[in-house]
Amino acid sequence: MKKKNNIISILLLFIIAVAITASVFIFNKNAEYITEINEKEVKWAYNLLSNSLRNKSTSYIDFLSLSDFDYGQDEIISEPIDGVKTQEYLGLVKKLDYNEIAEYEINVSKAGVYQIFIDYRPTENTLADFIIDLKVNNEQTYSEMKNIVLPLFWYDETKDFPKDRYGDEVAPRQIRLEDWRSLPLYNSTYSTALPLLFKLKSGPNIIQIKNISGNGLEIGKLKMEYPLINPIDYDEYIGKHDGELTSTLIPINSTDYINKNTTQAIYSSENNPSSNPHNSEYKLINTLSWEDAGAEITYKFMAPKDGFYHISLHYKNIKEEFDVFNTIRIDGETPFLELINYPFKSTGSKWGNETLSDKEGKPYKIYLKKGEHELTIRSEQEPIIKAWEYARLISEHVAQFELDITKITGSENDENRTWMMTRYIPEISDYLKSYEILINYIKYELQYYTSNGI
């Protein structure tokens, strides 16, 4: 299940060519903040609790932080070992119904971590995203490999919205896109903004993909690609482009998306004279809302000439006192690092404007060539996922700790008996200290995404 950490509504998007003053982070002067944290203590506390769990699993965060690996250097395309040729696809195809498996052989010259892209498409009448279980050389180095998502994409049957018997607009039917797509792999909860990394050994590797959702999945080529280690930052991006800041305003209505990867991005009507479109008598569809991590919406627009542009969004974030995060892509790529997990502050019940800007409020300049472009907005939860993992670890450990105590004392409380529990569980003081350390670390991780600190 996707964790609902992002709630954002967009009324109208703009690609703006004139400078707009953006909001600067202003924190409550009376708020309290943790200014530093002892990383060695945090690592000790995390390892103590994690290693003492009886049902221990390795998360992707563990894999990234604890594994000693290099980055691969090969780009290799492989086809399913027992695939067949079809007229609709250039290459071999394997149809996977529920619990069926496909295998690929990948031969890399250098051991290391790689991204995996896979070609796939839905068939039959499936309406839910496909979930696959992936193994490399019959192993799963982290638990997220058991739940990797291959999302379905959707578009509106019509942009001339139908009306009900009262004359109010209603949402059109959503149509599933059935063309082939090549996408990098993410786990089903979209815990990271960048694609998952997979560890391969030097020489031949067997990639095994199992469909653990519904029938009707077709897969084609699988591409191994070495990851981009250091995405360029804004300063490096600007240094690669020359041009002028244009003076043209390009409005994009939120309802004019060309496709989305979730049916949970839904239309609604905002009864506000400043919204567009608006009618005082009838409800007109003029907003699009979503809340699941990984939800992405794509728009098309025309840039009238080469040059730099600003991007501004009219949005509502109803999460009280906490940011939501989105990654911005232009033509399928994020231009620079700062547009990954970009924070949008809480607006409460009101609408706000956000020009994509740095921490000092200076708007980012996006270079566009003249012609057609795509803008994609994808909701993220990576900035809070580490805190979420630590909170889950504490919760799991407390439950186990409670069970261990109950095994000693029994389920009935005896008011006439005092237990010296450290005789039976000598690690108690360390456990309690670990809870405190990790709770403070969670506060430290999250405090700057809210105006009230800890």
Side-chain angles (χ1 to χ4, degrees):
M1 181 181 294
K2 299 178 183 176
K3 293 185 285 297
K4 298 180 179 179
N5 288 297
N6 282 306
I7 302 177
I8 188 167
S9 300
I10 294 183
L11 181 62
L12 192 64
L13 308 178
F14 292 107
I15 309 297
I16 300 182
V18 295
I20 293 182
T21 303
S23 298
V24 183
F25 287 105
I26 301 175
F27 294 105
N28 185 344
K29 293 182 179 179
N30 297 320
E32 191 177 340
Y33 294 92
I34 300 173
T35 56
E36 60 180 304
I37 207 81
N38 189 320
E39 293 290 348
K40 289 184 178 180
E41 283 190 348
V42 172
K43 186 175 182 180
W44 169 81
Y46 181 83
N47 289 339
L48 175 66
L49 299 185
S50 179
N51 292 332
S52 61
L53 283 179
R54 287 187 286 273
N55 298 319
K56 180 183 177 183
S57 62
T58 300
S59 70
Y60 187 62
I61 289 178
D62 294 332
F63 169 71
L64 293 180
S65 61
L66 302 177
S67 298
D68 182 18
F69 53 72
D70 294 322
Y71 289 89
Q73 63 182 18
D74 301 307
E75 289 189 6
I76 299 173
I77 294 177
S78 178
E79 296 180 311
I81 291 176
D82 55 350
V84 298
K85 291 184 177 180
T86 66
Q87 294 182 343
E88 298 84 9
Y89 181 76
L90 186 61
L92 299 182
V93 173
K94 171 82 174 184
K95 186 173 185 291
L96 295 183
D97 286 332
Y98 177 63
N99 272 346
E100 292 184 340
I101 296 172
E103 290 189 343
Y104 297 78
E105 183 172 352
I106 301 288
N107 199 319
V108 299
S109 62
K110 181 185 176 183
V113 292
Y114 291 81
Q115 293 176 349
I116 295 180
F117 289 73
I118 190 168
D119 291 358
Y120 72 97
R121 74 164 183 174
T123 62
E124 301 181 10
N125 296 319
T126 181
L127 300 177
D129 293 344
F130 290 106
I131 305 296
I132 61 172
D133 175 289
L134 188 144
K135 293 181 179 178
V136 178
N137 300 319
N138 207 35
E139 295 181 349
Q140 292 177 314
T141 50
Y142 50 86
S143 57
E144 284 84 350
M145 291 176 68
K146 299 177 182 178
N147 291 281
I148 293 174
V149 63
L150 300 179
L152 303 183
F153 283 77
W154 306 84
Y155 67 97
D156 289 345
E157 183 179 39
T158 178
K159 292 296 184 181
D160 294 325
F161 300 131
K163 294 180 174 58
D164 62 18
R165 60 178 179 171
Y166 302 107
D168 299 327
E169 287 184 345
V170 295
R173 189 164 69 98
Q174 298 174 81
I175 309 296
R176 187 188 71 187
L177 284 166
E178 300 187 1
D179 54 335
W180 283 92
R181 288 184 176 271
S182 179
L183 291 181
L185 300 184
Y186 290 86
N187 70 300
S188 59
T189 57
Y190 290 92
S191 58
T192 59
L194 297 178
L196 296 173
L197 300 177
F198 300 89
K199 193 173 183 179
L200 273 68
K201 65 181 182 180
S202 177
N205 295 265
I206 297 296
I207 311 297
Q208 186 183 80
I209 292 175
K210 181 180 181 180
N211 178 7
I212 59 173
S213 50
N215 294 340
L217 172 63
E218 283 189 348
I219 58 175
K221 297 174 184 176
L222 184 147
K223 180 181 179 183
M224 306 297 302
E225 189 174 277
Y226 58 89
L228 184 62
I229 301 173
N230 295 310
I232 64 172
D233 61 17
Y234 180 65
D235 290 338
E236 186 177 351
Y237 171 80
I238 283 293
K240 291 184 175 183
H241 298 283
D242 292 319
E244 298 293 331
L245 187 63
T246 59
S247 58
T248 304
L249 180 68
I250 310 169
I252 307 174
N253 198 294
S254 63
T255 60
D256 290 336
Y257 65 85
I258 58 171
N259 63 66
K260 58 183 181 180
N261 72 345
T262 174
T263 56
Q264 300 306 307
I266 57 177
Y267 287 132
S268 59
S269 176
E270 180 76 10
N271 186 19
N272 190 320
S274 65
S275 60
N276 181 31
H278 175 262
N279 187 297
S280 59
E281 185 176 358
Y282 298 106
K283 293 180 180 180
L284 302 182
I285 290 176
N286 52 21
T287 65
L288 186 69
S289 304
W290 63 90
E291 59 182 26
D292 288 338
E296 66 177 52
I297 318 296
T298 298
Y299 299 86
K300 276 188 178 179
F301 65 94
M302 293 292 296
K305 61 180 180 180
D306 297 355
F308 286 108
Y309 295 76
H310 294 159
I311 298 181
S312 183
L313 295 91
H314 191 50
Y315 78 101
K316 181 192 292 186
N317 168 18
I318 65 173
K319 289 181 71 68
E320 293 185 8
E321 302 174 352
F322 204 83
D323 296 350
V324 296
F325 310 93
N326 286 269
T327 291
I328 310 298
R329 300 203 303 264
I330 303 293
D331 300 326
E333 301 289 338
T334 301
F336 45 87
L337 182 64
E338 288 81 353
L339 294 188
I340 298 175
N341 297 320
Y342 186 92
F344 288 80
K345 298 189 73 61
S346 172
T347 62
S349 60
K350 299 179 180 178
W351 289 86
N353 296 311
E354 175 71 17
T355 299
L356 303 183
S357 307
D358 62 20
K359 291 182 178 179
E360 284 70 44
K362 184 178 180 181
Y364 292 126
K365 295 190 293 185
I366 314 294
Y367 185 81
L368 299 174
K369 299 286 288 185
K370 178 181 178 180
E372 186 176 78
H373 295 275
E374 290 187 359
L375 168 68
T376 300
I377 304 170
R378 194 184 96 152
S379 60
E380 307 286 5
Q381 64 176 353
E382 184 180 53
I384 67 168
I385 200 64
K386 192 171 185 178
W388 181 85
E389 287 278 4
Y390 282 21
R392 186 178 69 169
L393 172 61
I394 294 171
S395 176
E396 290 178 355
H397 196 275
V398 167
Q400 178 179 292
F401 189 17
E402 180 184 16
L403 181 60
D404 289 342
I405 292 174
T406 302
K407 288 178 180 178
I408 297 169
T409 64
S411 58
E412 298 294 331
N413 292 326
D414 187 348
E415 296 180 357
N416 299 316
R417 186 169 185 177
T418 300
W419 293 89
M420 184 63 71
M421 293 306 302
T422 52
R423 292 180 180 176
Y424 305 92
I425 309 175
E427 303 88 354
I428 284 179
S429 61
D430 286 340
Y431 289 161
L432 297 179
K433 183 179 179 181
S434 296
Y435 297 157
E436 181 182 11
I437 290 171
L438 293 187
I439 288 171
N440 282 331
Y441 185 77
I442 291 169
K443 293 178 181 180
Y444 176 78
E445 282 281 292
L446 301 180
Q447 62 186 347
Y448 291 107
Y449 301 132
T450 172
S451 60
N452 291 327
I454 61 173

